[in-house]
Amino acid sequence: MTTDTYHHGDLKNALIQAGVDILARDGIGALSLRSVARKAGVSHSAPYAHFPDKQALIAAISTEGFHRLYTQLEAAAQPLASNPQKQIVACARAYLNFAVQERDIFNIMFSGVLEQEKAYPDFVEISKATSTLLADIVSECQKAGIFPNGQTDLFAVAIWGQLHGIVSLALEKQISHTVLDQYQLDDILLFALNQFALVELT
Amino acid sequence: MTTDTYHHGDLKNALIQAGVDILARDGIGALSLRSVARKAGVSHSAPYAHFPDKQALIAAISTEGFHRLYTQLEAAAQPLASNPQKQIVACARAYLNFAVQERDIFNIMFSGVLEQEKAYPDFVEISKATSTLLADIVSECQKAGIFPNGQTDLFAVAIWGQLHGIVSLALEKQISHTVLDQYQLDDILLFALNQFALVELT
DNA sequence: AAAACTATCTTGACGCTGTCAAGTTTTCTC
DNA sequence: GAGAAAACTTGACAGCGTCAAGATAGTTTT
């Protein structure tokens, strides 16, 4: 519906998509309400019909980012159903891949959107769904004897935290070259995951 | 040397300090070259005599942040020398405390300063020193039989990553209330750390 | 079908920002 | 003490987020 009518038709989503594109192409520094409006072909104030302020647009872009992350995690786990051991490893790799390939979206997703706790219910919903997806796999791993039983929530948050931390440090180039020359990021992730496991994850 | 002379005397450090104060008091959104200049009592262009651009000021503030983190980690570990088991736990808690209490500095420290790899040698130096401090304690833990021997670098980066990730998720309010109602952040940190340990860390 | 209403979008303005150019003042160097 | 260099000010510019006022398009009411 991107005709040349006065009313765009689906400007809200067009703005979110424009934001995603700008993040991917030109990085976080180029993301402004005005650049997003330009890319969507509307005036600089048009976004205010759909977002109360810039923070709300960022929340919407972050929400879209979480949808993509969720989809990629699901796509990684789906074909390995009934094999949680492989699922948890595949999800870790998918998480890393997403962060590396959609760097700026990943960064914006974890850069303070949840300050105003309940202001963005869609964001809360999909971010919870994402952590639940991981927690469910962890739970399956426990049933399969791959992780010790009990304290599922603790295991899930610890594993997600570990995964998120290693990926974040890597994106920030905080992992020294003496380590990166020896190991792939993938190795580090697996090594860390294996601290939790009763059987060896590969 | 904050007299009313034309030349400030130590404007560079005054600007960094002003930036730290603004971050602590008014948050990351209030940090601008001009606000920092105002706080230091100089004109809006004065910072350009000491920093080529805003990114350089942010790098300097981040460097100061790492110095503080390093100091607090050292202060936590120092009194427990010869007891690496307690040191690693104390450092994890100190890391968490720093992140919680100096939230915005912590965030800015891990928000892309190292993009231009070698542009900020002071930053690289202190951030390396910080990870080395943790790695040394991990190494001592191995010698003491608290962690398995070998692959010290892997253990160090995995533990730092885990610590960093859990703290980051907590700051982002990404850890669900169903978990936080049951456990303290401290418990989560300890639980995660214990996955690596051969003896129980408390 | 006309009128009233509402959502959407444009235009124009405001103060704030980062940055640069030019000029002024101080300190350093010889 | 002269000349150079460093530190700082003033003034300007474009871009930013945001708001107010107005134009335009759908939608609802009668």
Side-chain angles (χ1 to χ4, degrees):
Chain A
M1 275 287 179
T2 25
T3 69
D4 53 352
T5 58
Y6 191 88
H7 276 201
H8 183 287
D10 192 23
L11 182 56
K12 183 168 186 173
N13 286 315
L15 291 169
I16 294 171
Q17 190 53 53
V20 170
D21 289 351
I22 287 174
L23 276 182
R25 188 180 312 275
D26 304 311
I28 224 164
L31 183 72
S32 70
L33 274 176
R34 293 171 100 111
S35 69
V36 161
R38 271 193 302 271
K39 187 148 211 158
V42 292
S43 77
H44 65 263
S45 277
Y48 282 90
H50 303 279
F51 303 100
D53 54 23
K54 186 184 184 184
Q55 192 58 228
L57 173 63
I58 288 178
I61 295 172
S62 301
T63 304
E64 168 64 16
F66 260 105
H67 273 114
R68 294 184 180 200
L69 174 59
Y70 183 91
T71 301
Q72 293 190 21
L73 291 177
E74 208 179 26
Q78 186 93 8
L80 302 168
S82 80
N83 192 338
Q85 180 171 355
K86 287 191 177 177
Q87 282 186 311
I88 191 76
V89 174
C91 280
R93 292 195 169 115
Y95 200 92
L96 173 62
N97 276 341
F98 178 82
V100 168
Q101 250 140 38
E102 315 231 37
R103 220 199 127 113
D104 292 274
I105 290 194
F106 181 83
N107 276 329
I108 222 175
M109 284 161 62
F110 294 99
S111 105
V113 180
L114 279 191
E115 303 282 303
Q116 311 86 332
E117 195 90 23
K118 296 298 169 192
Y120 306 108
D122 289 355
F123 179 88
V124 171
E125 184 188 344
I126 185 63
S127 79
K128 274 192 179 168
T130 303
S131 74
T132 300
L133 188 154
L134 290 174
D136 286 347
I137 294 176
V138 167
S139 173
E140 290 303 311
C141 283
Q142 291 185 308
K143 286 180 195 157
I146 294 153
F147 292 149
N149 280 313
Q151 299 175 300
T152 304
D153 283 345
L154 261 186
F155 272 100
V157 79
I159 286 171
W160 184 24
Q162 180 177 77
L163 176 54
H164 183 74
I166 292 171
V167 168
S168 297
L169 290 182
L171 288 186
E172 291 296 321
K173 304 203 199 302
Q174 288 280 2
I175 297 181
S176 77
H177 284 289
T178 69
V179 177
L180 286 180
D181 288 349
Q182 272 184 283
Y183 308 100
Q184 307 277 97
L185 270 177
D186 203 78
D187 299 330
I188 301 175
L189 242 37
L190 266 182
F191 174 82
L193 252 188
N194 266 302
Q195 303 302 315
F196 289 84
L198 298 170
V199 303
E200 202 195 345
L201 305 176
T202 54
Chain B
M1 274 287 177
T2 26
T3 67
D4 53 352
T5 57
Y6 190 89
H7 276 201
H8 183 286
D10 192 23
L11 182 56
K12 184 168 188 175
N13 285 315
L15 290 169
I16 294 171
Q17 190 53 53
V20 170
D21 288 352
I22 287 174
L23 276 181
R25 188 180 313 276
D26 304 311
I28 223 163
L31 183 72
S32 69
L33 275 176
R34 293 171 100 110
S35 69
V36 162
R38 271 193 300 273
K39 189 148 210 157
V42 293
S43 78
H44 65 264
S45 278
Y48 283 90
H50 303 280
F51 303 100
D53 54 23
K54 186 185 185 183
Q55 192 59 228
L57 173 64
I58 288 178
I61 295 172
S62 300
T63 304
E64 167 64 16
F66 260 106
H67 273 113
R68 293 184 181 202
L69 174 57
Y70 183 92
T71 300
Q72 294 190 22
L73 291 177
E74 207 180 26
Q78 186 90 9
L80 303 169
S82 79
N83 192 339
Q85 179 171 357
K86 287 192 176 176
Q87 281 186 312
I88 191 74
V89 174
C91 280
R93 292 195 170 115
Y95 199 93
L96 172 61
N97 276 342
F98 178 82
V100 168
Q101 252 140 37
E102 314 232 37
R103 223 198 124 112
D104 292 273
I105 289 193
F106 182 82
N107 276 328
I108 223 175
M109 284 162 61
F110 294 98
S111 109
V113 180
L114 278 192
E115 303 282 304
Q116 310 87 332
E117 195 90 23
K118 296 298 169 195
Y120 306 108
D122 288 355
F123 180 87
V124 172
E125 184 188 343
I126 185 65
S127 79
K128 276 192 178 166
T130 304
S131 75
T132 299
L133 186 154
L134 289 174
D136 286 348
I137 293 175
V138 168
S139 174
E140 289 303 312
C141 283
Q142 291 185 308
K143 287 182 195 157
I146 295 154
F147 294 149
N149 280 315
Q151 300 173 299
T152 305
D153 283 346
L154 262 185
F155 272 100
V157 79
I159 287 171
W160 184 24
Q162 181 177 77
L163 176 55
H164 183 74
I166 292 171
V167 168
S168 298
L169 290 182
L171 288 186
E172 290 297 321
K173 302 201 198 305
Q174 288 281 5
I175 297 181
S176 77
H177 283 291
T178 69
V179 176
L180 286 180
D181 287 350
Q182 273 185 284
Y183 308 99
Q184 306 278 97
L185 270 177
D186 202 78
D187 300 329
I188 301 175
L189 242 37
L190 266 181
F191 174 81
L193 253 188
N194 267 301
Q195 303 303 315
F196 289 84
L198 299 171
V199 303
E200 202 196 344
L201 305 176
T202 55

